[in-house]
Amino acid sequence: MIAHAETTPPARHPLVSFILRWVLTTNHKEIGTLYLCLSFTLFLIAGAMAMIFRAELAQPGLQFITADFYNQMLTLHGLIMVFGAVMPAFVGLANWMIPMMIGAPDMALPRLNNFSFWILPFAFFLLLSSLFMEGGAPNFGWTLYAPLSTTYGPPSTDFLIFGIHLMGISSILGAINIIVTIFNLRAPGMTLMKMPLFVWTWLVTAFLLIMAMPVLAGVVTMMLTDRHFGTSFFEASGGGDPLIFQHVFWFFGHPEVYIMILPGFGIASQIIPTFARKPLFGYASMVYATVAIAGLSFVVWGHHMFATGMPLAAELFFMYATMLIAVPTGVKVFNWVATMWRGSMTFETPMLFAIGFVVMFTIGGFSGLMLAITPADFQYHDTFFVVAHLHYVLYPGAIFATMGAVYYWLPKWTGNMYDERLGKIHFWSAVIGLNLTFFPMHFVGLAGMPRRIVDYALPYAGLNLFTTLGAWMLGLTQLLFLYIVIKTIRGGEKATDQVWESAEGLEWTVPSPAPHHTFDTPPRVE
Amino acid sequence: MGSNSSESGATFALPEGFQDFTRDWSADKQTFQVPWGKAMMWIFLLSDTFIFACFLTSYMNVRMSTRVPWPNPSEVFALSFGGDPIPLILIAIMTFILITSSGTMALAVNYGYRQDRAKTAALMFITAAFGATFVGMQAFEWVKLIVEEGVRPWGNPMGAAQFGSSFFMITGFHGAHVSIGVIYLSVVALKVLKGDYEASGNYEIVEITGLYWHFVDLVWVFIFAFFYLW
């Protein structure tokens, strides 16, 4: 065994060894970085798609792109934002932070970790390559409704299906890894009810992934057999039922919504106490609320389908169950506010993003309640009001939380402080852009403008121009974020180990930048 | 921290089982005394449950929504040995074999923990052989349905087209699970026989393999009940 210490490693070209280092790495920090880079790249790509269709929607009529290309952009924007931008970003943060927060030396299964990352670039290569194929990319919306995706889907739909299979495998393996790490690698004394909330929310999220992703894999497999093997699960002419597609899809789809938001809750619960200089208000109730939200998320899928003609009893059940979710979510919002109440608050960039998250997520939550009311939903369904709602929940919920987390932990990762002034500019331009983009959508939606359509009636024109201008502002702002991050990596004011004055947790006990290996001997948590 | 015990006990008395539960969950370091490998297998099986549930639910949905009569399983799956056709006889034998294999698997786990290499490996090979027999009989059943009765994923002479869709989808997916299980069992059995686990004395992998195998068995019980008996 000692023998191979004597063999000198073969001399490699620096570029080769650089690539091999990142391809073969099993270090949780490096894999975390890879996830975050991939996620941001895809975020920019999917964002650019939104820029394209927003440019088209600036005025009524067709100016720049065809209706079919509009549909393709819409579909890919949704799919890539969900599976490419938000989920990998959270997994990247989990990789970086969970071992450091629970005092573990690494993830429980480092090689599996490497594998689950490196599947992803290929999955998105499959998905994006569909743009260059005969017949174009998938054009039926990210919800893949049958029979649009089965009978009428372009040939490239199969690439989408296999892409989704790969993403599913990656997510399930990643989730297994995270659960096992949290259950088995906590430092002595780190009991479950002492874990930082980011870890708790990720634990719950991982269980959601385990239970939701297989259902998506199952439903796209049935899509595949419907397309090619003559089955007719969703084919009404063959005796199948297109509605079962929606039921199964949303059985995945609703937990997926919480997969994209729960880690954001965790991040807000880390950032707010630090800058309010008070411990988190109601830690235990936060944990229970997270678990309650996750449990409820499996019994509310029907609220996406009110307009499909469900039995009255089902409509009532889904309506009440959906409204019930507002209770644990409300507990969380009140806890964050109570944490800030009479705290000695300062407003560094992470805190700004966290507060922006709380405020705007609450707006999205309220419009969600409006949509949950079945009779009202008949009016709102498939209008821009739904678009406004989901973007108010996801943009502040997932993207702002992730960006806040990056500002919060970047000094720990790189050893350098980011540029506070630029960070604040980034935040404020993002907030203005976001509200300019999505707030007018409420109005055009209530006025009846349908979503997913390339053209619209003249009365909606003014507000849509606002939306487009806001969208471009919001999109360009993210380039500033890229600049800030690169600038911080390259240098800047040195960060202390503690970084933030009153931040608590094991991650602040290790040096900045965090060394390649942390916690060779487990720390003792009191 | 002198009042440590009163901290976890709420002011109202919880039932005894709950007290243990809370103690476990708020305990130091590990919630469950479960090693990584086993935890991973359990979590994986949870996800697998959902994918089978997805297929079975879709099957039940098409079965209820179809306007054409569903083929009668007792007739479709009947087999005759010279005389009158006996309903479901092949499936009954297959089920019997698979359930038996669960028994041999449980024995293998038991011998594994006693570190009896030869018996563990032998029992695992027997389990794998039962599994292979099951897959073989399933292949026979598929051939019979496809060649003799003309069942296709897109239709069949007996009734609703979804019969073929669901049948091939569900039993195919399950059969793939059994086939993978046979390979998995054989690999682990070989490693047991070679003494790969002697150094650590840790035969947990046998139990982990067993978890997978029992799961595949359990799923078959559901398929049997919902597809063949309904």
Side-chain angles (χ1 to χ4, degrees), chain A residues 10 81 113 122-123 167-168 195 238 260 277 285 464 489:
Chain A
M81 280 296 183
N113 205 5
F122 296 96
M167 293 166 209
M195 290 194 313
M260 293 193 285
R277 291 171 180 73
S285 65
N464 266 295
I489 294 171

Side-chain angles (χ1 to χ4, degrees), chain A residues 108 184 186 189 192 230 232 238, chain B residues 25 28-30 34 36 154 162:
Chain A
N184 288 290
R186 274 170 289 132
L192 281 179
S232 41
Chain B
W25 275 75
D28 197 354
K29 195 167 177 175
Q30 269 195 345
V34 179
W36 305 359
W154 51 89
Q162 273 63 41

Side-chain angles (χ1 to χ4, degrees), chain B residues 100-127:
Chain B
T100 313
S101 78
S102 251
T104 54
M105 188 66 232
L107 286 173
V109 173
N110 192 338
Y111 280 111
Y113 280 116
R114 293 188 207 169
Q115 311 211 354
D116 189 333
R117 261 166 53 200
K119 281 198 179 121
T120 309
L123 280 162
M124 288 181 86
F125 280 125
I126 293 172
T127 313

